Amino acid sequence: MADVRLLVVEDEEHLATGIRFNLELEGYAVEVVGDGKAAMRRLAEPPAFDLVILDVMLPGLDGFAVCRKLRAAGNFVPILMLTAKSLPEDVVSGLEAGADDYLAKPFELEVFLARVRGLLRRRDWARNGGVAREGVLQIGPAEIDFEAFEVRRDGAVHRLTLLEAALLRLLWQNPGRVVTKGEILEKVWNLAPDTETRAVDNFIVRLRRYLEDDPKEPKRIVTVRGAGWKLVPD
C-alpha cells in the first residue's frame, strides 16, 4: 500500500510521530506537516494525496479553515478530522466545513486505523461502484459520474465531495422511497440518527443546485414534510 499517500496535519509532535509510525506499519506512505498554512502549500503540489488526517486546533490556520479553503479551491481529497472537541455541534461544524469523517482525541489506535481504512474504502467504492463501471448515471439533463466525483449539466461541471457523492448514491439506490434524516445521518455521516443538525438539509440544497431546473421548486429531490427526502426518477 506504499502507493497510498497520506498527509498528517498535526502540531503536537509526539502525536504526529506516533500517528506516522503506526500508519507506516500499515504500509501507507506518510508525510507530516505541523500547521494549516504548510498543509495548504503541500496540498497544492503534486502528486496528490489519497487522504488527509487533519487536526482542528492548529497554529495560524485551523483545521476548519483549511478544510473550507480546500473545498472552495476544488480539492476534494477525503479528510479525517482529529480534535479534542467532541460535542455534536463540533462534529457537525467539521462535516459542514467539508470533512468526511471526525474522530475525537484521545482515540484508540484500532478505531483510528479503522476510520482510515473506512475512508479509503469509501473513496474506492465511490470511484469504482457499479454505476462507474457501466457509465454515468443520468438524472434528467444531469450526468453523475461517481468515478470522477462530478455532476455535469448544461456545460457546467460541479465537483462532489465524498459525502455529497455518498448522499446522492443513497438517494439513487432508493428511487421513489422516502429516505429519512436519521437514515442519512447514520449511513452517510456515521452519526446518531437523532443528532440535531441542519447539515443534511444544507447538503440537499447543494445537490438540488446541481440537479434541478429550479432548485426552489425541486422536482427530482423532493421533500416529504416530516419524513425526509426522495429521489423521483424521470
Side-chain angles (χ1 to χ4, degrees):
M1 287 188 295
D3 57 337
V4 178
R5 303 180 67 253
L6 311 183
L7 179 66
V8 176
V9 189
E10 172 59 67
D11 64 323
E12 295 182 46
E13 187 174 349
H14 70 284
L15 181 56
T17 299
I19 288 174
R20 180 173 193 162
F21 175 77
N22 284 285
L23 289 173
E24 288 179 341
L25 283 180
E26 294 290 306
Y28 302 118
V30 183
E31 292 186 35
V32 176
V33 295
D35 64 78
K37 290 182 179 179
M40 292 298 299
R41 290 194 297 270
R42 189 65 193 87
L43 287 161
E45 302 169 354
F49 289 92
D50 296 286
L51 175 66
V52 176
I53 297 157
L54 178 64
D55 187 35
V56 169
M57 304 302 287
L58 295 169
L61 196 66
D62 69 24
F64 293 141
V66 170
C67 196
R68 284 192 293 267
K69 286 178 178 291
L70 285 174
R71 298 318 190 208
N75 188 327
F76 295 94
V77 59
I79 294 174
L80 170 60
M81 277 193 153
L82 304 179
T83 183
K85 298 181 177 180
S86 59
L87 295 174
E89 55 264 35
D90 297 318
V91 177
V92 169
S93 294
L95 296 174
E96 290 182 340
D100 296 290
D101 203 354
Y102 198 102
L103 189 59
K105 302 175 185 176
F107 49 80
E108 295 291 333
L109 175 61
E110 285 306 314
V111 173
F112 167 72
L113 293 175
R115 295 293 185 90
V116 169
R117 289 190 290 264
L119 277 175
L120 292 171
R121 281 197 304 270
R122 286 168 64 190
R123 174 206 60 178
D124 293 338
W125 164 78
R127 289 177 176 171
N128 301 316
V131 173
R133 286 195 298 271
E134 296 172 5
V136 297
L137 169 66
Q138 193 82 31
I139 299 179
E143 293 182 341
I144 294 86
D145 188 333
F146 287 105
E147 185 173 6
F149 285 79
E150 291 179 350
V151 176
R152 299 186 286 268
R153 176 183 171 140
D154 301 329
V157 177
H158 306 282
R159 292 296 307 275
L160 295 171
T161 67
L162 192 140
L163 283 174
E164 287 174 336
L167 173 54
L168 185 52
R169 187 183 286 263
L170 178 62
L171 292 169
W172 170 77
Q173 289 173 332
N174 296 275
R177 180 177 78 80
V178 176
V179 180
T180 68
K181 179 179 284 190
E183 185 178 352
I184 293 170
L185 287 169
E186 282 190 295
K187 294 183 177 180
V188 178
W189 271 265
N190 295 315
L191 291 172
D194 58 351
T195 301
E196 290 294 328
T197 174
R198 299 241 350 134
V200 178
D201 307 73
N202 294 336
F203 271 67
I204 292 290
V205 167
R206 295 215 297 261
L207 292 180
R208 282 172 172 163
R209 289 174 184 161
Y210 307 153
L211 300 179
E212 300 286 356
D213 298 323
D214 181 359
K216 294 181 180 180
E217 297 290 338
K219 305 295 184 184
R220 296 186 173 90
I221 301 179
V222 177
T223 299
V224 179
R225 191 171 300 278
W229 299 269
K230 65 179 179 179
L231 182 66
V232 179
D234 289 323

